[in-house]
Amino acid sequence: MSPVLAVEGFDNDTVRQVVRVSAGGPAVRVRLSNAHSGTALKVGGATVAVAAEGAALRRDTVRHLTFGGKRTVVVPAGGEIVTDLVLLPVAPLQRLSVTLYFPTKTGKVTGHTFADATSYHAVGDHRADVAAGAFGETTQSFYYVSGVEVVDLSPRRNVVVAFGDSITEGAGSTPDADNRYPDELAERLRGRVPVVNAGIGGNRVLNDSPCFGDRAVDRFARDALGQPDVRTVILLEGINDIGFSEIDFECAVPNPRVTAADVIAGYRQLIRQAHAKGVRVVGGTLMPYKGSDYYRPQGESVRDEVNAWIRTSGEFDGVADFDRAVVSPTDPDALDPAYDSGDHLHPNDAGHRAMANAVDLASL
């Protein structure tokens, strides 16, 4: 099953998706989103379980998810729904499988095309299958699952949200290895503080995309501030605003030329939104991208000006200097080759680890 077919929709299909949670607790619930569909979504059943190898599950952990006590639900077009709480003991950094069955045509799919994690597909209803045999097709995308919440029954406002674009989402890291920078940050925190990955490939601060969804200033309230118990947001966005303005790409329209003042104005909107909710914002400097497809000298000048403002303005509650963590020792406009995934824009596993290490834990 290709991502193109997935965009066209599912019909009598089961999709199993593996996620790693950052914190532990006795119970979980799953958040499903139909935000980008014009039709209602029927979910014919869903399960959550501790993941085994590949699409397999640990037999004694399979739990049927319910929605207001029922095993089926219809998610309205443009809507989101959260399952009932289900008792399932979860350890910090444990991998869980969420399995969804779609009995009828879903229409356009809401999801992450470039998740850098394997999802598994089967024809028919296999939501409770423990074995992997029916799941013969795979993609590297997520569908409809917008969050897995581990509930420890003693609420604390300590959640950190990593908010950004494909770099935050994990592009360039090894698929299924959980080496994205938010994963590496969660490992540094050793499960004491939950870390939510709210990165979306291609996302921009200022403009929507027909392929990559809502701009940051619009989705921030939902995807960052809407997370339960959020205390701090780490913001790393803006490189696509700069780069997309330099190329002719259908997924980038509209792509007006942006200035540093434009990007900074967008940041200020996000900071105001966060502070109005009592949430801290740590600003991440934009990383080097010389040699990438959309690098241009004029864009580099904008990046430099934006980074200088992030470091010196004092408007963020803290700074994560990702730029200095991964920059080449011989070229201030380029990624260190040791941290380059090969496209000169996205870091490899070592680069994601260097990013996580650049975050001052005291700032969170």
PDB file of all heavy atoms in Angstrom, residues 205-230:
ATOM      1  N   VAL A 205       5.779  28.612   9.579  1.00  0.00           N
ATOM      2  CA  VAL A 205       5.231  29.504  10.592  1.00  0.00           C
ATOM      3  C   VAL A 205       4.082  30.320  10.019  1.00  0.00           C
ATOM      4  O   VAL A 205       3.038  30.480  10.651  1.00  0.00           O
ATOM      5  CB  VAL A 205       6.321  30.447  11.136  1.00  0.00           C
ATOM      6  CG1 VAL A 205       5.731  31.448  12.121  1.00  0.00           C
ATOM      7  CG2 VAL A 205       7.444  29.655  11.803  1.00  0.00           C
ATOM      8  N   LEU A 206       4.244  30.806   8.784  1.00  0.00           N
ATOM      9  CA  LEU A 206       3.387  31.879   8.278  1.00  0.00           C
ATOM     10  C   LEU A 206       2.366  31.465   7.232  1.00  0.00           C
ATOM     11  O   LEU A 206       1.386  32.191   7.024  1.00  0.00           O
ATOM     12  CB  LEU A 206       4.264  32.990   7.695  1.00  0.00           C
ATOM     13  CG  LEU A 206       5.267  33.616   8.666  1.00  0.00           C
ATOM     14  CD1 LEU A 206       6.216  34.546   7.930  1.00  0.00           C
ATOM     15  CD2 LEU A 206       4.538  34.368   9.768  1.00  0.00           C
ATOM     16  N   ASN A 207       2.566  30.369   6.534  1.00  0.00           N
ATOM     17  CA  ASN A 207       1.685  30.012   5.430  1.00  0.00           C
ATOM     18  C   ASN A 207       1.255  28.547   5.497  1.00  0.00           C
ATOM     19  O   ASN A 207       2.056  27.674   5.823  1.00  0.00           O
ATOM     20  CB  ASN A 207       2.374  30.272   4.085  1.00  0.00           C
ATOM     21  CG  ASN A 207       2.484  31.754   3.770  1.00  0.00           C
ATOM     22  OD1 ASN A 207       1.512  32.395   3.395  1.00  0.00           O
ATOM     23  ND2 ASN A 207       3.683  32.295   3.936  1.00  0.00           N
ATOM     24  N   ASP A 208      -0.027  28.320   5.163  1.00  0.00           N
ATOM     25  CA  ASP A 208      -0.540  26.964   5.025  1.00  0.00           C
ATOM     26  C   ASP A 208       0.077  26.307   3.794  1.00  0.00           C
ATOM     27  O   ASP A 208       0.685  26.962   2.945  1.00  0.00           O
ATOM     28  CB  ASP A 208      -2.064  26.979   4.844  1.00  0.00           C
ATOM     29  CG  ASP A 208      -2.802  27.536   6.056  1.00  0.00           C
ATOM     30  OD1 ASP A 208      -2.225  27.532   7.160  1.00  0.00           O
ATOM     31  OD2 ASP A 208      -3.954  27.972   5.880  1.00  0.00           O
ATOM     32  N   SER A 209      -0.136  24.987   3.690  1.00  0.00           N
ATOM     33  CA  SER A 209       0.312  24.246   2.519  1.00  0.00           C
ATOM     34  C   SER A 209      -0.770  23.278   2.097  1.00  0.00           C
ATOM     35  O   SER A 209      -1.410  22.649   2.952  1.00  0.00           O
ATOM     36  CB  SER A 209       1.598  23.465   2.833  1.00  0.00           C
ATOM     37  OG  SER A 209       1.832  22.468   1.852  1.00  0.00           O
ATOM     38  N   PRO A 210      -0.994  23.108   0.794  1.00  0.00           N
ATOM     39  CA  PRO A 210      -1.971  22.123   0.347  1.00  0.00           C
ATOM     40  C   PRO A 210      -1.543  20.693   0.639  1.00  0.00           C
ATOM     41  O   PRO A 210      -2.377  19.788   0.616  1.00  0.00           O
ATOM     42  CB  PRO A 210      -2.062  22.378  -1.171  1.00  0.00           C
ATOM     43  CG  PRO A 210      -0.767  23.040  -1.531  1.00  0.00           C
ATOM     44  CD  PRO A 210      -0.390  23.852  -0.324  1.00  0.00           C
ATOM     45  N   CYS A 211      -0.271  20.488   0.931  1.00  0.00           N
ATOM     46  CA  CYS A 211       0.259  19.152   1.223  1.00  0.00           C
ATOM     47  C   CYS A 211       0.602  18.961   2.694  1.00  0.00           C
ATOM     48  O   CYS A 211       0.446  17.863   3.238  1.00  0.00           O
ATOM     49  CB  CYS A 211       1.517  18.887   0.406  1.00  0.00           C
ATOM     50  SG  CYS A 211       1.346  19.141  -1.368  1.00  0.00           S
ATOM     51  N   PHE A 212       1.084  20.024   3.353  1.00  0.00           N
ATOM     52  CA  PHE A 212       1.657  19.893   4.684  1.00  0.00           C
ATOM     53  C   PHE A 212       0.806  20.501   5.794  1.00  0.00           C
ATOM     54  O   PHE A 212       1.235  20.568   6.939  1.00  0.00           O
ATOM     55  CB  PHE A 212       3.060  20.510   4.713  1.00  0.00           C
ATOM     56  CG  PHE A 212       3.978  19.957   3.651  1.00  0.00           C
ATOM     57  CD1 PHE A 212       4.678  20.805   2.804  1.00  0.00           C
ATOM     58  CD2 PHE A 212       4.125  18.590   3.488  1.00  0.00           C
ATOM     59  CE1 PHE A 212       5.522  20.302   1.822  1.00  0.00           C
ATOM     60  CE2 PHE A 212       4.971  18.078   2.515  1.00  0.00           C
ATOM     61  CZ  PHE A 212       5.669  18.938   1.676  1.00  0.00           C
ATOM     62  N   GLY A 213      -0.383  20.967   5.462  1.00  0.00           N
ATOM     63  CA  GLY A 213      -1.334  21.355   6.492  1.00  0.00           C
ATOM     64  C   GLY A 213      -1.235  22.789   6.966  1.00  0.00           C
ATOM     65  O   GLY A 213      -0.644  23.664   6.326  1.00  0.00           O
ATOM     66  N   ASP A 214      -1.835  23.000   8.151  1.00  0.00           N
ATOM     67  CA  ASP A 214      -2.007  24.341   8.699  1.00  0.00           C
ATOM     68  C   ASP A 214      -0.683  24.971   9.123  1.00  0.00           C
ATOM     69  O   ASP A 214       0.206  24.302   9.653  1.00  0.00           O
ATOM     70  CB  ASP A 214      -2.913  24.293   9.939  1.00  0.00           C
ATOM     71  CG  ASP A 214      -4.286  23.716   9.633  1.00  0.00           C
ATOM     72  OD1 ASP A 214      -4.724  23.823   8.481  1.00  0.00           O
ATOM     73  OD2 ASP A 214      -4.898  23.149  10.560  1.00  0.00           O
ATOM     74  N   ARG A 215      -0.595  26.275   8.936  1.00  0.00           N
ATOM     75  CA  ARG A 215       0.590  27.010   9.377  1.00  0.00           C
ATOM     76  C   ARG A 215       0.686  26.981  10.910  1.00  0.00           C
ATOM     77  O   ARG A 215      -0.309  26.778  11.620  1.00  0.00           O
ATOM     78  CB  ARG A 215       0.533  28.439   8.871  1.00  0.00           C
ATOM     79  CG  ARG A 215      -0.695  29.224   9.348  1.00  0.00           C
ATOM     80  CD  ARG A 215      -0.736  30.603   8.737  1.00  0.00           C
ATOM     81  NE  ARG A 215      -1.863  31.380   9.274  1.00  0.00           N
ATOM     82  CZ  ARG A 215      -1.951  32.692   9.189  1.00  0.00           C
ATOM     83  NH1 ARG A 215      -0.993  33.380   8.594  1.00  0.00           N
ATOM     84  NH2 ARG A 215      -2.987  33.325   9.699  1.00  0.00           N
ATOM     85  N   ALA A 216       1.895  27.228  11.399  1.00  0.00           N
ATOM     86  CA  ALA A 216       2.152  27.104  12.834  1.00  0.00           C
ATOM     87  C   ALA A 216       1.297  28.055  13.655  1.00  0.00           C
ATOM     88  O   ALA A 216       0.797  27.684  14.725  1.00  0.00           O
ATOM     89  CB  ALA A 216       3.628  27.346  13.126  1.00  0.00           C
ATOM     90  N   VAL A 217       1.119  29.299  13.191  1.00  0.00           N
ATOM     91  CA  VAL A 217       0.378  30.253  14.009  1.00  0.00           C
ATOM     92  C   VAL A 217      -1.083  29.841  14.184  1.00  0.00           C
ATOM     93  O   VAL A 217      -1.746  30.289  15.117  1.00  0.00           O
ATOM     94  CB  VAL A 217       0.464  31.690  13.434  1.00  0.00           C
ATOM     95  CG1 VAL A 217       1.885  32.214  13.546  1.00  0.00           C
ATOM     96  CG2 VAL A 217      -0.037  31.746  12.000  1.00  0.00           C
ATOM     97  N   ASP A 218      -1.579  28.962  13.306  1.00  0.00           N
ATOM     98  CA  ASP A 218      -2.945  28.464  13.438  1.00  0.00           C
ATOM     99  C   ASP A 218      -3.019  27.135  14.197  1.00  0.00           C
ATOM    100  O   ASP A 218      -3.955  26.908  14.958  1.00  0.00           O
ATOM    101  CB  ASP A 218      -3.589  28.297  12.063  1.00  0.00           C
ATOM    102  CG  ASP A 218      -3.920  29.622  11.408  1.00  0.00           C
ATOM    103  OD1 ASP A 218      -4.027  30.635  12.136  1.00  0.00           O
ATOM    104  OD2 ASP A 218      -4.063  29.664  10.176  1.00  0.00           O
ATOM    105  N   ARG A 219      -2.052  26.267  13.998  1.00  0.00           N
ATOM    106  CA  ARG A 219      -2.137  24.941  14.638  1.00  0.00           C
ATOM    107  C   ARG A 219      -1.527  24.902  16.038  1.00  0.00           C
ATOM    108  O   ARG A 219      -1.690  23.925  16.765  1.00  0.00           O
ATOM    109  CB  ARG A 219      -1.491  23.876  13.749  1.00  0.00           C
ATOM    110  CG  ARG A 219       0.036  23.830  13.732  1.00  0.00           C
ATOM    111  CD  ARG A 219       0.535  22.698  12.840  1.00  0.00           C
ATOM    112  NE  ARG A 219       1.982  22.544  12.876  1.00  0.00           N
ATOM    113  CZ  ARG A 219       2.651  21.724  13.685  1.00  0.00           C
ATOM    114  NH1 ARG A 219       1.988  20.975  14.558  1.00  0.00           N
ATOM    115  NH2 ARG A 219       3.964  21.642  13.653  1.00  0.00           N
ATOM    116  N   PHE A 220      -0.853  25.965  16.420  1.00  0.00           N
ATOM    117  CA  PHE A 220      -0.145  25.998  17.696  1.00  0.00           C
ATOM    118  C   PHE A 220      -1.091  25.774  18.880  1.00  0.00           C
ATOM    119  O   PHE A 220      -0.769  25.020  19.805  1.00  0.00           O
ATOM    120  CB  PHE A 220       0.571  27.339  17.839  1.00  0.00           C
ATOM    121  CG  PHE A 220       1.550  27.429  18.976  1.00  0.00           C
ATOM    122  CD1 PHE A 220       2.721  26.705  18.968  1.00  0.00           C
ATOM    123  CD2 PHE A 220       1.300  28.279  20.051  1.00  0.00           C
ATOM    124  CE1 PHE A 220       3.638  26.811  20.005  1.00  0.00           C
ATOM    125  CE2 PHE A 220       2.200  28.396  21.091  1.00  0.00           C
ATOM    126  CZ  PHE A 220       3.369  27.656  21.070  1.00  0.00           C
ATOM    127  N   ALA A 221      -2.248  26.413  18.847  1.00  0.00           N
ATOM    128  CA  ALA A 221      -3.193  26.277  19.960  1.00  0.00           C
ATOM    129  C   ALA A 221      -3.656  24.839  20.125  1.00  0.00           C
ATOM    130  O   ALA A 221      -3.820  24.348  21.247  1.00  0.00           O
ATOM    131  CB  ALA A 221      -4.389  27.198  19.746  1.00  0.00           C
ATOM    132  N   ARG A 222      -3.874  24.152  19.001  1.00  0.00           N
ATOM    133  CA  ARG A 222      -4.340  22.769  19.049  1.00  0.00           C
ATOM    134  C   ARG A 222      -3.209  21.795  19.353  1.00  0.00           C
ATOM    135  O   ARG A 222      -3.319  20.957  20.248  1.00  0.00           O
ATOM    136  CB  ARG A 222      -4.983  22.410  17.697  1.00  0.00           C
ATOM    137  CG  ARG A 222      -5.473  20.966  17.575  1.00  0.00           C
ATOM    138  CD  ARG A 222      -5.819  20.647  16.128  1.00  0.00           C
ATOM    139  NE  ARG A 222      -4.630  20.653  15.268  1.00  0.00           N
ATOM    140  CZ  ARG A 222      -4.638  20.985  13.976  1.00  0.00           C
ATOM    141  NH1 ARG A 222      -5.757  21.375  13.397  1.00  0.00           N
ATOM    142  NH2 ARG A 222      -3.512  20.959  13.274  1.00  0.00           N
ATOM    143  N   ASP A 223      -2.109  21.893  18.596  1.00  0.00           N
ATOM    144  CA  ASP A 223      -1.075  20.859  18.633  1.00  0.00           C
ATOM    145  C   ASP A 223      -0.066  21.038  19.757  1.00  0.00           C
ATOM    146  O   ASP A 223       0.574  20.070  20.174  1.00  0.00           O
ATOM    147  CB  ASP A 223      -0.329  20.825  17.296  1.00  0.00           C
ATOM    148  CG  ASP A 223      -1.223  20.387  16.148  1.00  0.00           C
ATOM    149  OD1 ASP A 223      -2.332  19.888  16.413  1.00  0.00           O
ATOM    150  OD2 ASP A 223      -0.814  20.545  14.978  1.00  0.00           O
ATOM    151  N   ALA A 224       0.089  22.251  20.251  1.00  0.00           N
ATOM    152  CA  ALA A 224       1.038  22.508  21.339  1.00  0.00           C
ATOM    153  C   ALA A 224       0.307  22.844  22.631  1.00  0.00           C
ATOM    154  O   ALA A 224       0.360  22.095  23.605  1.00  0.00           O
ATOM    155  CB  ALA A 224       2.004  23.622  20.963  1.00  0.00           C
ATOM    156  N   LEU A 225      -0.407  23.954  22.628  1.00  0.00           N
ATOM    157  CA  LEU A 225      -1.069  24.396  23.858  1.00  0.00           C
ATOM    158  C   LEU A 225      -2.229  23.494  24.234  1.00  0.00           C
ATOM    159  O   LEU A 225      -2.650  23.469  25.404  1.00  0.00           O
ATOM    160  CB  LEU A 225      -1.550  25.839  23.699  1.00  0.00           C
ATOM    161  CG  LEU A 225      -0.468  26.850  23.305  1.00  0.00           C
ATOM    162  CD1 LEU A 225      -1.061  28.242  23.217  1.00  0.00           C
ATOM    163  CD2 LEU A 225       0.705  26.815  24.275  1.00  0.00           C
ATOM    164  N   GLY A 226      -2.760  22.732  23.282  1.00  0.00           N
ATOM    165  CA  GLY A 226      -3.865  21.825  23.569  1.00  0.00           C
ATOM    166  C   GLY A 226      -3.449  20.510  24.168  1.00  0.00           C
ATOM    167  O   GLY A 226      -4.314  19.687  24.527  1.00  0.00           O
ATOM    168  N   GLN A 227      -2.147  20.264  24.301  1.00  0.00           N
ATOM    169  CA  GLN A 227      -1.686  19.028  24.926  1.00  0.00           C
ATOM    170  C   GLN A 227      -1.965  19.076  26.429  1.00  0.00           C
ATOM    171  O   GLN A 227      -1.736  20.100  27.076  1.00  0.00           O
ATOM    172  CB  GLN A 227      -0.181  18.831  24.698  1.00  0.00           C
ATOM    173  CG  GLN A 227       0.217  18.703  23.237  1.00  0.00           C
ATOM    174  CD  GLN A 227      -0.292  17.447  22.580  1.00  0.00           C
ATOM    175  OE1 GLN A 227      -0.593  16.446  23.242  1.00  0.00           O
ATOM    176  NE2 GLN A 227      -0.392  17.466  21.255  1.00  0.00           N
ATOM    177  N   PRO A 228      -2.441  17.973  27.007  1.00  0.00           N
ATOM    178  CA  PRO A 228      -2.715  17.976  28.452  1.00  0.00           C
ATOM    179  C   PRO A 228      -1.454  18.254  29.269  1.00  0.00           C
ATOM    180  O   PRO A 228      -0.381  17.719  28.973  1.00  0.00           O
ATOM    181  CB  PRO A 228      -3.232  16.552  28.713  1.00  0.00           C
ATOM    182  CG  PRO A 228      -3.720  16.063  27.388  1.00  0.00           C
ATOM    183  CD  PRO A 228      -2.813  16.698  26.364  1.00  0.00           C
ATOM    184  N   ASP A 229      -1.579  19.127  30.255  1.00  0.00           N
ATOM    185  CA  ASP A 229      -0.516  19.385  31.236  1.00  0.00           C
ATOM    186  C   ASP A 229       0.752  19.966  30.626  1.00  0.00           C
ATOM    187  O   ASP A 229       1.852  19.790  31.157  1.00  0.00           O
ATOM    188  CB  ASP A 229      -0.178  18.110  32.023  1.00  0.00           C
ATOM    189  CG  ASP A 229      -1.377  17.531  32.748  1.00  0.00           C
ATOM    190  OD1 ASP A 229      -2.157  18.322  33.311  1.00  0.00           O
ATOM    191  OD2 ASP A 229      -1.557  16.300  32.730  1.00  0.00           O
ATOM    192  N   VAL A 230       0.635  20.683  29.499  1.00  0.00           N
ATOM    193  CA  VAL A 230       1.824  21.253  28.878  1.00  0.00           C
ATOM    194  C   VAL A 230       2.390  22.369  29.754  1.00  0.00           C
ATOM    195  O   VAL A 230       1.662  23.216  30.255  1.00  0.00           O
ATOM    196  CB  VAL A 230       1.517  21.759  27.452  1.00  0.00           C
ATOM    197  CG1 VAL A 230       0.426  22.815  27.454  1.00  0.00           C
ATOM    198  CG2 VAL A 230       2.776  22.312  26.799  1.00  0.00           C
TER     199      VAL A 230
END
